[in-house]
Each structure stands twice: as C-alpha cells, then as structure tokens.
Amino acid sequence: MKSNLEKEFQEAYTLASNLKKKLPPDVMLKLYAYYKQAKEGDHFSYNTDTKGLRNAFKFNAWIQLRGMAPNKAKEEYIKLVKSIIN
C-alpha cells in the first residue's frame, strides 16, 4: 500500500503533467529538480549523450538539491504544484 505522501506526490505529478498553462522556466526547473531528487536522490546520472544548455540547466537545478531527503523533495514538489494550481 502506498504511503499518503507517495499518493499525494503521484497526484501532484499527474496535475503538473496535465497543466495547460505554460510555466516560467525557473518553475519548470524546480519541478524537474524536486522530481528527480524525490525519485533518484543523490544518484546523479548526467547523460553526456544529451548535451546542450537546456540539459545543463536541468542537471544544475537537480544537483543543487544534493543532500535533500527524497521525502522532503516530494513534500516540496507537492507544495510547488499546489502553489501553481491555486
């Protein structure tokens, strides 16, 4: 059975994935970073095959969360999605 936090996280992910409005790049990067930290923690896997400025920004946003516990990242992701929706 999924924990309440995991359930809320999945619901927030679904909401964020189905948003119709265009979000500012900094918000998109935060969502990406919190999601990656929540799912993978500090296991940074920068794919060198996908070079480019966009991927560098994404990786940088994620690495800035180094040390954040996955559950904390889930909580922050949920908070951010709620702030976008409201």
Side-chain angles (χ1 to χ4, degrees):
M1 186 172 175
K2 285 185 182 178
S3 71
N4 207 25
L5 179 60
E6 186 62 32
K7 185 178 177 218
E8 278 188 72
F9 178 68
Q10 290 302 320
E11 288 170 358
Y13 176 76
T14 300
L15 283 172
S17 298
N18 293 320
L19 279 176
K20 299 294 181 217
K21 67 181 175 180
K22 186 167 171 64
L23 299 174
D26 63 318
V27 174
M28 293 292 292
L29 285 172
K30 284 181 186 176
L31 285 171
Y32 172 83
Y34 286 136
Y35 183 84
K36 289 292 276 187
Q37 189 67 16
K39 295 308 255 181
E40 298 183 32
D42 288 345
H43 301 285
F44 303 109
S45 56
Y46 185 65
N47 186 345
T48 53
D49 292 338
T50 55
K51 295 177 184 167
L53 193 56
R54 181 177 181 214
N55 288 326
F57 278 117
K58 287 167 68 175
F59 182 71
N60 185 51
W62 179 24
I63 207 166
Q64 288 180 32
L65 299 181
R66 182 185 324 208
M68 179 182 280
N71 281 347
K72 177 68 175 164
K74 288 177 184 178
E75 291 168 0
E76 293 300 320
Y77 185 93
I78 293 164
K79 260 196 274 188
L80 182 56
V81 169
K82 285 181 178 178
S83 75
I84 293 166
I85 301 298
N86 298 329

